[in-house]
Amino acid sequence: MALKQSIENARAERIGAEGASAQAFADTLARTDEALASLRARHANGALVLLRLPEKRDDIASIKAAADRLTAAGTTDVVFLGTGGSSLGGQTLAQLAGYALPAIGPLCKPRLHFMDNLDPETFDGLLRMFPLATTRFVAISKSGGTAETLMQTIAVLSALKKAGLESLISELILGVTEPTLAGKRNGLRDLLAAHRVIMLDHDVGVGGRYSVFTNVGLLPAAVAGLNIEKIRAGGAAALASILGARPAKEVPSAVGAALAATLSQKNQKNISVMMTYADRLERFARWYVQLWAESLGKDGKGTTPLAALGPVDQHSQLQLFMAGPRDKLFTVITVGGGDRGPRMDAELAKLAGEPGLAGKTIGDLVAAQGRATAETLAKNGCPVRTLHLDKLDEASLGELLMHFMLETIIAAHLFGVDPFDQPAVEEGKVLAKKYLAG
């Protein structure tokens, strides 16, 4: 496994009363056995499709073919329409290849855009400013009834027609949605089928926020030039400890879930801070926020996820983290970056008044800051779990993604909630459509 996890600085023995006591953690970890057995059973009988995705191969060719079509000669931009789970997984993977990185992101070719929020001014600007003839659009909605995605798609169709590109619509747009189901209407499929747009089937057994290992996440990854087989292989690595029937203490996702539940239920740590020390993990933290919040926040239960990015958020949030309310569990993710990046000239370092920087790289400083933040939080009585990747690539990112999906599912068992529904979200969607119609 590429992922190295430590919870030592979240234990009472190490940091005092704010940490998880040995007995409370052991009791909670023992409760994960039932969840682990259920995951093994649902993998064996195929009841939980998510668990079978790492070994899936029969869709790889169609994903690559769609990516080739989207990046054909002349394509300048690829725009992904969709929100929430239909977008964040793809963003997380695409960021590994440069998407949304400061300064260099816009230089990637083709330029990738994820229109995951609905804003009238922003979308109007897209339609006015983009070179429509060389832009490809991908509309993604599991149900096909997401109002935001339908409006985006209708607006794109209208703009293409207005620009005289109606005959090219079937080449410029691709759809991803569920296949036609008896007795259930799929607005996105009906809309795009009427324009002879090619459709990829969204797996009916995988919800949006768990869909990163399906074509929903892997298509943007392939468009960005990533190796999608390695992404799934990383997912398999995270799943191996569960399928191998190892004891819970040797299953990283069970350990993480037990830690979160123990600290929430025994120590009132009801905020879960995810702080990543790599620009290429910034969207991962956003993905985690939706996964954790929407899966666990039910019946007055769950903990509140918060995303932070290091080192920059050391200058904006760390003061609160260190000296504010003691209501947080911290997860600090670092990547092996030592000895990487520009190296500091000795004379210039001396001139700047920091001779200690001489010969050091930017990677050296980021690594030191990540380690220092975790240790300082712990010394101040804040429980900290650390995760480290020696290298951030397709396989390690795939492992990280699957780890947190499994951790979330196991945590849901400990909190006593269903990790796969979102009743409050659905209620809001119904009410919004009512207001729009009225």
Side-chain angles (χ1 to χ4, degrees):
M1 293 181 66
L3 188 62
K4 300 178 180 67
Q5 175 176 250
S6 173
I7 66 165
E8 292 308 305
N9 281 334
R11 293 179 173 274
E13 302 93 316
R14 180 70 67 87
I15 68 170
E18 299 294 340
S21 72
Q23 189 60 57
F25 176 73
D27 291 345
T28 307
L29 186 61
R31 290 170 49 213
T32 68
D33 286 341
E34 184 179 345
L36 295 175
S38 174
L39 287 170
R40 286 191 289 272
R42 297 173 80 181
H43 174 271
N45 64 21
L48 185 55
V49 178
L50 165 66
L51 303 179
R52 289 290 190 175
L53 292 176
E55 65 197 60
K56 187 175 174 65
R57 294 292 180 271
D58 59 5
D59 60 345
I60 295 292
S62 66
I63 294 172
K64 290 183 175 180
D68 289 343
R69 184 169 174 269
L70 291 169
T71 57
T75 297
T76 58
D77 300 82
V78 180
V79 179
F80 292 90
L81 310 176
T83 190
S86 294
S87 180
L88 286 168
Q91 292 184 52
T92 297
L93 292 173
Q95 192 163 54
L96 184 62
Y99 163 70
L101 292 181
I104 66 175
L107 302 178
C108 296
K109 298 194 182 305
R111 295 182 294 263
L112 302 186
H113 314 270
F114 291 82
M115 306 304 291
D116 59 349
N117 192 42
L118 196 64
D119 180 282
E121 298 299 326
T122 301
F123 209 79
D124 183 62
L126 180 154
L127 298 176
R128 285 187 292 103
M129 300 169 66
F130 273 48
L132 296 179
T134 59
T135 298
R136 304 294 184 265
F137 296 89
V138 184
I140 305 175
S141 170
K142 182 177 187 291
S143 68
T146 306
E148 295 95 329
T149 310
L150 286 174
M151 274 198 162
Q152 289 176 332
T153 307
I154 291 169
V156 167
L157 288 168
S158 297
L160 292 175
K161 292 177 181 180
K162 185 177 180 180
L165 299 170
E166 184 168 4
S167 63
L168 298 177
I169 284 176
S170 61
E171 298 177 24
L172 299 179
I173 301 180
L174 181 73
V176 180
T177 190
E178 287 180 334
T180 302
L181 302 175
K184 183 179 179 182
R185 184 175 183 186
N186 186 311
L188 183 63
R189 185 172 286 276
D190 292 344
L191 177 66
L192 294 181
H195 292 83
R196 302 182 305 282
V197 169
I198 293 175
M199 308 293 293
L200 297 182
D201 288 341
H202 191 303
D203 198 312
V204 297
V206 182
R209 61 184 179 275
Y210 292 96
S211 65
V212 66
F213 288 103
T214 72
N215 50 23
V216 173
L218 296 185
L219 178 57
V223 168
L226 298 176
N227 185 317
I228 59 178
E229 291 98 328
K230 289 184 178 180
I231 294 170
R232 280 187 170 165
L239 190 58
S241 60
I242 294 178
L243 300 184
R246 296 179 191 170
K249 65 181 181 180
E250 296 179 13
V251 179
S253 51
V255 170
L259 180 66
T262 301
L263 288 171
S264 171
Q265 295 165 355
K266 303 294 185 181
N267 301 68
Q268 289 77 54
K269 306 301 182 189
N270 293 319
I271 297 176
S272 177
V273 178
M274 171 69 70
M275 192 165 188
T276 59
Y277 275 80
D279 276 349
R280 285 174 171 79
L281 289 175
E282 179 261 338
R283 295 301 162 105
F284 164 79
R286 293 195 195 184
W287 170 87
Y288 161 79
V289 165
Q290 188 209 1
L291 174 71
W292 192 260
E294 198 166 84
S295 299
L296 302 183
K298 296 152 195 174
D299 304 326
K301 301 174 183 178
T303 66
T304 301
L306 178 67
L309 179 66
V312 63
D313 280 329
Q314 293 176 195
H315 301 276
S316 62
Q317 298 189 66
L318 195 56
Q319 173 64 35
L320 172 68
F321 294 165
M322 294 285 191
R326 294 292 197 237
D327 55 359
K328 304 170 188 69
L329 163 63
F330 296 88
T331 296
V332 175
I333 301 182
T334 55
V335 176
D339 206 38
R340 296 185 64 184
R343 192 173 299 277
M344 300 301 102
D345 178 84
E347 288 300 317
L348 294 178
K350 182 178 180 180
L351 184 62
E354 293 288 348
L357 298 180
K360 303 299 183 182
T361 68
I362 287 179
D364 292 330
L365 179 57
V366 172
Q369 288 177 320
R371 178 181 176 184
T373 295
E375 292 182 1
T376 304
L377 283 165
K379 287 178 180 178
N380 281 273
C382 301
V384 182
R385 182 249 305 247
T386 58
L387 292 168
H388 181 75
L389 297 167
D390 287 334
K391 181 181 180 182
L392 183 58
D393 57 13
E394 290 97 331
S396 61
L397 183 55
E399 183 179 346
L400 191 64
L401 289 161
M402 180 58 83
H403 168 95
F404 277 99
M405 286 190 283
L406 294 170
E407 181 172 305
T408 299
I409 294 168
I410 298 167
H413 169 79
L414 298 175
F415 282 107
V417 297
D418 182 347
F420 301 111
D421 67 353
Q422 52 276 335
V425 175
E426 297 305 321
E427 181 181 353
K429 290 180 180 178
V430 172
L431 193 58
K433 287 185 177 181
K434 177 181 176 182
Y435 289 156
L436 186 63

